[in-house]
Amino acid sequence: MLGSPALAAPASAAGVRRAGNEKPSRPLVVGHRGASGYRPEHTLASYELAARMGADYMECDLVSTRDGALVARHEPEIGGTTDVARHPEFADRRTARTIDGTRYEGWFTEDFTLAELRTLRATERIPDIRPRNRIYDGRYPIPTFEEVIELRERLSAELHREIGIYPEIKHSTYFSGIGKAIEPRFVATLNEAGLNRDGAPVFVQSFETANLKALRPQLRLPLVQLTDATGAPADLVATGDERTWADLTTAAGLKEIATYADGVGPNKDQVIARRPDASLGEVTSLVADAHAAGLIVHPYTFRNENSFLPANLRSPGPESGYGDPFAEYEAFLATGIDGIFSDNPDTALAAVTRR
């Protein structure tokens, strides 16, 4: 039996804000954008399938609409994840934006009201890798944050175990800069749902640092600093701070993160490096350094397809074929990580429960 989701923390992390009521006996499984290996990402169908497959948490990325609603999309640009291009009434909304230094062309959530977004339907983001998911194109609407919370409550009651949510605040600096800050509505929604409390099954994550620091006194929930193998946090770049992800994930940098967050969500290449031939390399010190700082570690993202696996774990055949994800899980679980983000939560659960 899975039991209640909880924050997996090393014994030294006495000050961690715990999610759930018990320390789990195994690493947590987070359904990355739901069960996105099997359904179009960030749909209620994807989240529900993740929970039914045994995921402890459902991850939802949050962006803002023109009228301030929070909706679940990986990016504000929705040309690749919805059927908006097939709606002639929105043809004139196509535009270009620079977000965190990267130029995008397409349609953006901040140019649509929630009512307008409701007329769109989700589509598979990577159809060449996940062609089977295309049969679900056009079936599911874009969910709001409130709907994800309602689904969590329904499934927790139905499945007789607490299903958690793991929301990510996307592009905080960008949305604040256009007058559509996500954080106030986010905190208000958690308060209204009764989820801003000790022990609530919620983690809050961001790739930026300033918003997590600002949220610290407002939330009684564990905060997770996302990191990447290259580049730097957008908020640091915007203020001229020259620190990079490499700086923030040194032993000293992780100790600083521990002053405002409870965990780190690293790119998995920061936990086990890739060799030049893209095969699995050596284990880094990140997990040990993070645990020494009192931080939990939830790396991302584990997927079954050859396209995403280390070169030495791929099977013969197309990029869409499955390789040997269990070998990858075993290597990462041996490092002592506390949870995993997976597009295939059933595979992830099989891996963590075998140990």
Side-chain angles (χ1 to χ4, degrees):
M1 186 170 179
L2 296 179
S4 298
L7 186 83
S12 62
V16 166
R17 302 181 183 189
R18 295 188 178 276
N21 300 314
E22 302 172 3
K23 183 177 179 178
S25 59
R26 58 160 177 80
L28 296 175
V29 172
V30 182
H32 183 245
R33 310 178 195 177
S36 53
Y38 311 107
R39 298 290 186 275
E41 66 187 35
H42 291 311
T43 59
L44 293 181
S46 182
Y47 299 138
E48 179 164 355
L49 183 58
R52 293 191 182 280
M53 285 182 162
D56 301 296
Y57 285 80
M58 307 180 298
E59 189 226 16
C60 57
D61 298 331
L62 299 176
V63 296
S64 179
T65 66
R66 189 171 73 192
D67 47 354
L70 301 184
V71 295
R73 291 289 89 189
H74 178 56
E75 295 290 342
E77 200 289 303
I78 55 174
T81 60
T82 74
D83 61 359
V84 64
R86 301 193 195 106
H87 285 253
E89 68 273 25
F90 298 134
D92 62 349
R93 306 274 179 98
R94 182 177 175 86
T95 187
R97 296 272 161 76
T98 298
I99 301 174
D100 298 343
T102 300
R103 180 179 170 83
Y104 299 88
E105 293 186 9
W107 292 263
F108 297 83
T109 58
E110 63 267 28
D111 294 331
F112 292 78
T113 65
L114 178 59
E116 289 173 331
L117 283 178
R118 290 293 201 187
T119 68
L120 307 180
R121 292 295 180 267
T123 59
E124 173 55 40
R125 180 178 61 87
I126 46 175
D128 291 343
I129 302 299
R130 292 172 177 164
R132 291 192 177 106
N133 285 8
R134 296 185 66 183
I135 67 171
Y136 300 103
D137 284 357
R139 295 188 62 85
Y140 308 123
I142 298 173
T144 64
F145 187 32
E146 289 85 353
E147 288 173 331
V148 176
I149 291 173
E150 290 167 3
L151 177 67
R152 183 211 81 79
E153 294 172 351
R154 176 172 67 81
L155 290 175
S156 294
E158 181 180 337
L159 299 176
H160 305 290
R161 64 183 180 89
E162 196 86 287
I163 306 298
I165 57 172
Y166 210 127
E168 178 187 344
I169 297 172
K170 301 291 294 191
H171 301 293
S172 176
T173 295
Y174 169 75
F175 278 110
S176 295
I178 62 173
K180 301 189 184 303
I182 291 174
E183 289 80 5
R185 179 69 176 263
F186 177 74
V187 173
T189 302
L190 289 174
N191 286 336
E192 291 166 7
L195 289 175
N196 187 8
R197 56 179 171 78
D198 295 337
V202 182
F203 288 93
V204 177
Q205 57 178 336
S206 176
F207 274 105
E208 301 193 30
T209 66
N211 63 336
L212 290 180
K213 292 175 181 178
L215 286 170
R216 188 66 176 180
Q218 301 180 58
L219 296 177
R220 298 167 65 184
L221 301 167
L223 307 181
V224 175
Q225 177 67 70
L226 296 171
T227 69
D228 209 344
T230 60
D235 60 304
L236 297 190
V237 173
T239 59
D241 190 320
E242 295 184 353
R243 286 177 297 165
T244 66
W245 290 124
D247 297 319
L248 268 62
T249 51
T250 62
L254 290 165
K255 288 180 181 178
E256 181 179 347
I257 288 174
T259 64
Y260 64 86
D262 304 285
V264 288
N267 182 313
K268 63 185 181 181
D269 291 351
Q270 296 178 285
V271 175
I272 302 181
R274 294 279 185 108
R275 295 190 176 97
D277 65 357
S279 63
L280 274 183
E282 300 299 319
V283 176
T284 73
S285 66
L286 187 145
V287 174
D289 291 342
H291 283 176
L295 297 166
I296 52 106
V297 183
H298 294 168
Y300 66 88
T301 304
F302 293 84
R303 300 169 166 118
N304 290 356
E305 293 93 354
N306 282 327
S307 177
F308 304 110
L309 286 167
N312 57 313
L313 301 181
R314 296 169 189 163
S315 66
E319 291 189 339
S320 60
Y322 280 10
D324 187 0
F326 286 113
E328 183 183 38
Y329 282 120
E330 283 299 313
F332 279 85
L333 291 169
T335 69
I337 57 176
D338 305 290
I340 48 182
F341 285 83
S342 178
D343 286 9
N344 307 87
D346 55 341
T347 308
L349 183 64
V352 301
T353 56
R354 180 182 178 183
R355 293 173 59 80

